[in-house]
Every structure is written in C-alpha cells, then in structure tokens.
Amino acid sequence: KRERGILNLRQEPGLSLYSHNVLIQEFNRDLLPKWLEFVVGVVDSEDLPLNVSRETVQSTRAMARLGSTLRRRLLREIKELAESDSEKYSIFWDQYGPILKEGLALEPDSKDDLLPLFRYRSLKSPGKLISLDEYVKAFSEDQAEIYYIVGGDLESIQLSPHLDLFRERGLDVLLFIDPIDPFLPQAISSYQDFPLRNIDDASLDLPEDVQSEKLEESEGIDDKIFNQLIGRFVTTLGDKVLEVRESKVLKSSPVRLVTPENSPTRDIQRVQRYLTDDYEIPKKILEVNRRHNLISDLARILNERPEDEIINLIIEQLFESSLVMEGLHPNPAKMLPKIERLLELSAGRSLEESGD
C-alpha cells in the first residue's frame, strides 16, 4: 500500500519497504522497473518475514509478486489519470514522459503497457498532446501508416519542407521533438498493425492526384533549363549529396533533403551529432522544387549568366539551410560569411536596378 504521494522527486530513488510496520529497506529499487523510479512511497507487506536480508529480499517470490502488483496498479492509475484529466496528464507527461519513453528503449517487451501512455504533438494539433490511439482514430480514409517527423523543437519542425505534401493532403504527422524520440521506431516498427513511417523517406509513396497536379504546375519551366540547373547543383555540391533530383511532393519550399531507403541510422542521425566526436554529415538526396520562385529565378540566372557568382552561393546556402532544418549541420555559424556575401550581392543589384 502507498501512504505518501507518488510523484515527488527526491535524490535517492526507491520505495520504503516495510514488513509488519517494521522498516526493512529504506530505498528499495527492486520492486519497480527503472522507468518507474520516479515513484516514491511506502510499501508494507505481511508476506515478507521480518528477518530477511537484502539478498533474500531480492530473490524471494513474494517480492516478485509484490513488484508485479505494484507495477500493474501504478500503470492503471496513470492510465486513469490520462483518460480522466488530460490537462493534469499533460503536466505529468511533460515531466515524466521522457522517463517512460526511456522505459520502452530499455524494455521493448513493455510496449503494450507503455505505448498507450505516450503523448505527442502533431501537425494538426501542435498546441496539445494526443495519444497514438487518437492519432490512429483520426486516420484519413486511404491512410495506412503512422507518419512522423523528427526535429529539434516545435517551432522549427513546423517549418520543415517535408510537411508540404501533408498539409496539402490534410494528413496528420506526429512531431518527434524529444531527444529520445528517434529511438521509438527502433524499438517498435508498428502500432495497432500500422507501420511507423518517417516522412523524410525517399521512397515515400505519392498519391496519384498530387502527381497529376505536380505535372500540370511544372510546365512553366523549360525542361532543358531546369535540367541544366540540376546539373549545376550536382557539380557545386559534389559528394556532399548522393543525388539531386526533381521533387514530386514539395509545395512551398525550394528544396529538401531526404534519407535514402534502408539507411541504417536514419532516425538517430541527429543524436549521433551530439554523441560522437568524429561526426560526419550523412549523405542524403537533395530534391528541388521546380515550381518555387527562387528555383525559377535561379534557373533563369544560370541560363543568362552561367558564370554569375550568386548561383553557387545560393545552391550552397540552400543545402546548408536544409542541414540546419534537419538538425544535422555541425556548425551553423560557418554559414555567416556566405550569407553576408549573398546580402552584399543582393544589395548591390538593388542599387543597380534603382539606377543609383
């Protein structure tokens, strides 16, 4: 039984274990899994003998039964809180959610207990937390996957070019912004038989109606000029990218970086940036939106003035800005000289056009 609040943080984790009102162990860490170590309280069991040692406490069957009962009751109470008071649960989740997520990474077999407790913000609901069950329940008619995107924070992730198509189609996307979130797809591949799908996947299927619309809107740019621009992207970026190609999904963004299919570290590349000293920028596929005004203007400049300095500067900046958006740039401050040079060129051309 619990006689104190269960959500009170203290320096030493563990439960106070009693037998017949006699303290056996002050900080017992064997009754509950590590991902419930934030729980504090008192447990008094009449099934434990008074003369047990610590080693005996760890191995006794009564302890195993007691731990199983406590775990089941705690999960039930947390679930009841989530269902009865979403506002209070949001406060709870903000503080203890990362610990529960860590539990899934440590104990994948506990996914049936843990996943219904998980909460995320989404493209359609950035201001509130929703459960995986709520996300699945709101599926569109032809949706068969759980879409997610990984980013550094809520504000920047909503600017991601990967979301263009999903906004256009009215499809919701889970926003993975906690450092541990990229490990979720590593621990589970599906929920309720729906596979999890990162929307930066290069092989992401494109609905036919969007493809048709894309082809119609692409007619404004001459294929020859656009292909010349793609070639310039390739020569300028070199081996920084695996491939440069036309985008089939972008709407309001000029470019995006997509992960090659079956990339082994695709969901934890951001984590590696902070964990490894020899971090290298992962090579991705750069997709170019030929309908974007910036790309159209860049193609025109290339056609008219192929030696113009601004062409390569813009291409390099588009690539580096994409790295920043993906949370993969090792040192964004290095972009400043390039940005300043672009500003100089833009200011000079504005003066020329005004006749000053």
Side-chain angles (χ1 to χ4, degrees):
K1 60 183 179 180
R2 294 176 301 281
E3 298 179 0
R4 302 174 187 170
I6 66 170
L7 305 181
N8 181 32
L9 286 176
R10 59 178 176 177
Q11 291 292 90
E12 183 74 18
L15 299 172
S16 297
L17 180 60
Y18 284 74
S19 177
H20 302 275
N21 294 319
V22 176
L23 179 65
I24 296 176
Q25 192 174 359
E26 186 173 3
F27 299 112
N28 181 280
R29 305 181 66 175
D30 303 313
L31 283 169
L32 295 174
K34 182 175 176 60
W35 46 271
L36 284 175
E37 68 179 8
F38 58 85
V39 176
V40 297
V42 174
V43 177
D44 191 345
S45 174
E46 297 180 356
D47 296 329
L48 295 175
L50 290 174
N51 60 345
V52 295
S53 64
R54 172 175 172 78
E55 291 74 17
T56 306
V57 167
Q58 289 177 309
S59 60
T60 181
R61 290 183 179 179
M63 281 290 290
R65 291 196 302 269
L66 186 57
S68 178
T69 300
L70 284 172
R71 171 175 167 155
R72 188 166 55 250
R73 289 183 179 179
L74 283 168
L75 288 173
R76 185 176 66 223
E77 287 193 13
I78 294 173
K79 184 177 180 180
E80 289 176 355
L81 175 63
E83 294 175 348
S84 63
D85 195 327
S86 58
E87 185 174 343
K88 284 185 178 179
Y89 188 74
S90 294
I91 298 173
F92 167 85
W93 180 255
D94 285 341
Q95 186 165 2
Y96 299 105
I99 301 176
L100 295 180
K101 291 177 182 178
E102 181 183 346
L104 183 63
L106 295 173
E107 297 182 23
D109 291 341
S110 300
K111 63 180 181 180
D112 291 339
D113 291 330
L114 287 169
L115 288 177
L117 303 177
F118 283 18
R119 295 294 184 271
Y120 290 99
R121 287 174 171 79
S122 72
L123 177 61
K124 289 186 176 181
S125 304
K128 70 173 185 177
L129 295 168
I130 65 171
S131 67
L132 294 174
D133 289 326
E134 289 174 305
Y135 176 87
V136 170
K137 187 177 180 179
F139 266 13
S140 64
E141 292 184 3
D142 56 350
Q143 186 170 348
E145 297 175 309
I146 296 175
Y147 298 117
Y148 71 91
I149 181 175
V150 181
D153 58 78
L154 184 61
E155 184 176 357
S156 63
I157 201 173
Q158 293 181 84
L159 299 175
S160 172
H162 300 303
L163 295 171
D164 283 4
L165 173 64
F166 293 85
R167 287 194 176 94
E168 181 75 15
R169 295 277 291 164
L171 297 172
D172 206 4
V173 180
L174 295 176
L175 309 179
F176 285 5
I177 56 177
D178 290 339
I180 198 171
D181 282 341
F183 291 97
L184 176 60
Q186 309 298 314
I188 64 167
S189 58
S190 64
Y191 181 72
Q192 293 189 12
D193 296 328
F194 295 107
L196 274 67
R197 186 70 173 273
N198 192 325
I199 66 170
D200 84 340
D201 194 331
S203 63
L204 189 68
D205 291 334
L206 184 67
E208 291 184 2
D209 58 337
V210 179
Q211 288 187 16
S212 300
E213 180 182 338
K214 179 253 168 213
L215 290 173
E216 292 176 2
E217 295 182 2
S218 298
E219 294 177 356
I221 301 179
D222 181 79
D223 285 341
K224 180 180 178 180
I225 296 177
F226 180 72
N227 289 334
Q228 287 176 346
L229 180 61
I230 292 295
R232 188 62 168 264
F233 268 89
V234 171
T235 56
T236 301
L237 298 177
D239 60 2
K240 294 178 181 178
V241 294
L242 291 176
E243 179 187 353
V244 181
R245 69 189 187 191
E246 178 183 356
S247 173
K248 299 179 180 179
V249 301
L250 287 174
K251 294 290 183 179
S252 58
S253 304
V255 298
R256 73 166 184 162
L257 288 171
V258 295
T259 303
E261 191 174 4
N262 299 322
S263 177
T265 59
R266 62 192 315 273
D267 290 316
I268 58 175
Q269 288 167 343
R270 293 170 181 80
V271 180
Q272 290 180 328
R273 173 188 167 192
Y274 299 102
L275 296 181
T276 59
D277 295 331
D278 56 347
Y279 168 79
E280 294 184 3
I281 299 174
K283 294 181 181 180
K284 297 197 173 191
I285 299 169
L286 183 70
E287 293 190 347
V288 181
N289 180 9
R290 68 186 296 170
R291 293 162 290 165
H292 195 278
N293 288 338
L294 175 58
I295 299 301
S296 298
D297 290 342
L298 190 59
R300 177 179 53 81
I301 296 173
L302 176 62
N303 186 55
E304 297 175 357
R305 303 188 301 275
E307 301 304 320
D308 197 317
E309 177 187 2
I310 202 170
I311 298 172
N312 288 359
L313 286 173
I314 291 177
I315 290 174
E316 291 170 355
Q317 188 56 52
L318 284 171
F319 171 70
E320 294 201 33
S321 296
S322 296
L323 288 177
V324 173
M325 186 65 68
E326 294 292 307
L328 298 173
H329 202 299
N331 187 1
K334 288 186 176 181
M335 297 189 303
L336 293 179
K338 189 184 292 90
I339 294 174
E340 290 172 356
R341 181 56 182 157
L342 282 168
L343 292 174
E344 288 178 6
L345 292 173
S346 299
R349 296 184 185 196
S350 295
L351 289 173
E352 291 176 3
E353 292 175 1
S354 64
D356 293 340

